[in-house]
Every structure is written in C-alpha cells, then in structure tokens.
Amino acid sequence: MRFHEKSESTDTVVDCVTAHSLAESSESPDSEHGYARNYYDPDIAHPIAQYEDDLLPQCPPSTTERKLMARIDFRIIPVLSILYLLAFLDRTNIANANIFGLSKELGLDGTHQNKYNTALTIFFVPYILFEIPSNVLLKKLKPHIWLPACMFTFGLVTVCQGLVQNYSGLLATRFFLGLAESGMFPGSFYLISMWYKRSEAQRRFSFFFSSTSLAGAFGGLLASAIGKMSGMRGYAGWRWVFILEGTLTCVVALLFVFLIPDFPENAKWLSEEERTYVRARLQKDQGRNAVERPIGIRDIINVFKDFKIFIGGFMYFGLIVPAYGYAFFAPGIIQTYGYSQIGTQLHSVPPWACAFAFAMIVAYFSDKAKHRFAFAIFPICIAISGFAILLRVHDNRHVQYAALFLVAMGAYSAMPVIVCWFNMNLGGHHRRAVGTGWQIGFGNIGGIIATYAFLAKDKPLYKPGYSICISFICLSAASCVAYLVSILVQNRNRDRMPRDLGLTEYEKTEMGDMSPEYRYLL
C-alpha cells in the first residue's frame, strides 16, 4: 500500500521528546510515496491557507508525549469504561434475573414462551432510532453533561425494572432503558476517537469495549451474591438484582458529572499549550475536524452518500447477533448443562474474563502492526469454531462449556477492532459523529434478531440459534473483506492523483476522509 511521505526536513520540526514517538513517525521514503504510514498530509502548496501555521505538532517543553498521553489515558479510558460497564450490566442483567425466577413470577412462561424474548427485543427499538440524534446532542451539550444524564436515567429505569408487577410494566421499563442507553456506546466511542491517533487507538477502544466482558463476569458474580437476598423485604432475588445494580449506576452517574472529559478543544484540565499540541497531532494524523461547526442535516445526508458507511454498518451488524445471543442467553445455555442457579451464575464468569484478556492481546498486536483487517478476521474465525462445536456436540458438557469460551473470546475481540477500524477511518467531527451513530445504531438491529434466535422451544440443543449466529458472523467477515477492498482501491486511486488539486484548507476540512490527501488505515 502506498502513502504520502513527509520529507526529512519537515519531520525534524516535530520535536516530541520520546524516542518511541520518533520511531513510530520516521520512515525512509522509498520514492515519492512511502508504504508504511497512514496520515493526513495537508497540501502546503497553498501559501495563503488559513491554518498553515499550526500544522506541525510541537510537544510543550513542560512535558513529554508519553507523559501527556498517560494523563489523557488515565482521565478518559477508566471513566468511560466504568460508564459502559454499568450500562451493559443494566442492559443484560435481565438474563441473570431470569435465572432467579423473573419469567415465572411475571407469567412469561407457559403457552406464551416468547414473552421473555419480546421483552429483550423492545429494548432495541429506541436504542437503534436515537443513536445518531444522541451523538448530535453530545456535541451540542458537551460529554460531561450528556453522558452522566443518560447514565442516571438508565440507572433509575433499572431500579424501576425491579419493581414491576406484570409483563406490561416490564415492557415499558425495557423500552425506556433502551432510550436512555442509546447515547452511551456511540457517544463514548465518538469521544475516544477525538483524542487519539488511528495508530494508537485500538488498545484504548478494546479496553473500553471489553468493559462488556468485565460486566458479564462482574454481573455473574454479583448476581450469585444478590440472589441469596431472595425474600428480604418481601422481594424475590431477581428484583434485588435490578434494584441494587440500578442504584449503583445512579450514584456513579452523579460523580461522573465532574469526571467525564469533554473534547480536546474544551479540556480545562490541560494547559493551553497541551490542548494545542493534542489538536495538532490529531490534525497531522487525521486532518482538520471542523469542531467549531455544528452538525446539520446536509452533513448527515453527505455522510450517507459514501457507500463505505453502509459496509461499516454490516460489519458490526453481523457480529451483534452472536454477541447479544451470548450475552442474553449464555446463563440459560449453561443451566442446561445441569448446574444449580448459583452454579450457573458462577460458571458464566470465566468465559467473560477470558474474552477480556484475549481482546486486549488482539488490540496490542493490532496497534503494534498498525493494521486492523487481519485482527478482525482471526477472532471471527474463533467465534465460528465455537458455534460449530455447540452445533455438533450435545453429549459432552465440558466440550460445550469450552466452546462458550471460544464464542465469547472471538465475538468480543473482533467487535472493538471493527468499530475502531471503521470509525477512526472517518475524518472530521461531522463524519465521525454521524458514522459512529449509524454503525452502532444499524448494527444493533442484529440485537432484535438475537433475542429471537434462542427460543425456549429449542432447548436444550438450540440448533436454530447456533446456525443463525454462524450465518451472521460470516456476513460480518464478508463485509470486512468488502471494506478492505474498497479502502485499498481508494488509497491506490488517490496515490495516482496529482499532488495539487487546488483545494483550499476549508474544502479539505469539509471533505474529511473523502479528501484526496487522506489515506485509510487497512
């Protein structure tokens, strides 16, 4: 793959102090084009360009790049990871509650066995519809206001879920839970993507995304302890699961108003020099982001004129089905292996823990190689092998339980790579805000399919569910290949273009990754 390479005289101006950053940024040009870097290379041929003076990042003398990025990591990643851990916990704890008798007490069993599946499905209706509007509001209201407000709301709804008395009440709370949670995942991804270069983002994305795995593990442990409270204050164990976990979310949300960071341009915890440097290094990697301009309807329409947007949606859509299939039904599947209620909750923990560890390993090597495609396909193959075992083996619970490890490790390692790959290749605030919301929103349509993939009538073999999951994983793999081919072709076509097309800096900013000077990360 061929990419524009800066000259040595230009690179010497970039005096960030760490040897690590210099090693990553210096390559020997082979000719006019290099083969090892992806970055936005503004055309300096326009001497009257409005922004020419700050194109080259200079690290402030009071710190180093390594120290500054460590501060940013500590301020952003743990907070957003805890936020999404609690969001995913409140979203999926219905599976743990069901083990403790939710369906039986609310009358979801019997002749209407699909009522539980319907309760899972209704969550996704508002969750899908409000992804893009939520990201637009996030940019308008600031992350430290919008995200904690959504968080407090879904925590409160979770508490109410523990107080419902009938099926209608459960449906209502699940609907409003989906509405409140619609801004969490795309908003957090959008915020993270505006702080990091593409070559360093995967580990951060995977750590954040893997909070879902930690939520699964933590949820199983917590549910096994909370379940022992059954009968206290006259409430069944499943009610306490919702009440206590929702209360925890509300308390944390109040603290996060003061802890969640805003975009780099508004980060008051950085000095002016540090903010300038962070913006400059991102600009060199991704181009200008037009943060000062609000997102309008025309911006949204222009984003959807790019066919790659739809491919990115299918990449994520294909993995959502097995991911939510596992999250919502793994406790029920494990229970068919003959474990008790508490034993089922405890056995649900190890696959999640292994998924977290494997996702971080994949992310580390993906960032090291500055490559995404291979690190998405490999975990996808692992997930397929896990579902294939579950589809064929029905008489050995140890092998079946081991297959659940493969499913969790594969699906929950590939998903953050796919989301990071697609979203970090979108240039500019407006394209990234809309593209992130679209990919997550469209992808979560797969959640509706997942909720009806594992029906009670298919117990204990669940052959239709496993077959559906394999099919959709293959769809995701095919979409990844299509996306790779499309950006490979576009990179090569742009390499053949003349260097000076007469575009102004404003035009390049508005185009984002559609600029002829932008190169996609493979």
Side-chain angles (χ1 to χ4, degrees), residues 145-160:
I145 298 295
W146 180 247
L147 293 179
C150 293
M151 187 179 184
F152 184 86
T153 303
F154 72 70
L156 185 61
V157 173
T158 300
V159 173
C160 294

Side-chain angles (χ1 to χ4, degrees), residues 261-276:
D262 289 327
F263 296 111
E265 295 80 8
N266 309 112
K268 296 180 180 179
W269 46 278
L270 294 177
S271 68
E272 182 60 38
E273 282 185 327
E274 290 170 338
R275 287 196 296 269
T276 300

Side-chain angles (χ1 to χ4, degrees), residues 26 125 133 138 205 212 216 230 274 282 358 420 424 433 466 473 488:
S26 62
V125 177
L138 174 74
F205 271 106
T212 59
S230 183
E274 290 170 338
L282 292 178
F358 186 66
C420 177
M424 294 302 287
Y466 297 144
I473 296 176
L488 194 61

Side-chain angles (χ1 to χ4, degrees), residues 84 127 181-190 208-209 316 419 440:
Y84 193 58
Y127 189 81
E181 284 204 22
S182 63
M184 292 297 97
F185 188 52
S188 297
F189 257 91
Y190 173 34
F208 163 77
F209 188 90
Y316 189 62
V419 176
I440 306 304

Side-chain angles (χ1 to χ4, degrees), residues 334-341 343-344 347 397-398 401:
I334 293 173
Q335 193 175 38
T336 64
Y337 300 158
Y339 298 110
S340 64
Q341 288 184 346
T344 295
H347 276 83
R397 76 174 187 179
H398 298 295
Y401 183 58

Side-chain angles (χ1 to χ4, degrees), residues 35-51:
Y35 286 78
R37 274 169 55 176
N38 310 59
Y39 66 92
Y40 185 93
D41 185 13
D43 185 2
I44 311 301
H46 301 284
I48 60 171
Q50 181 179 355
Y51 306 105

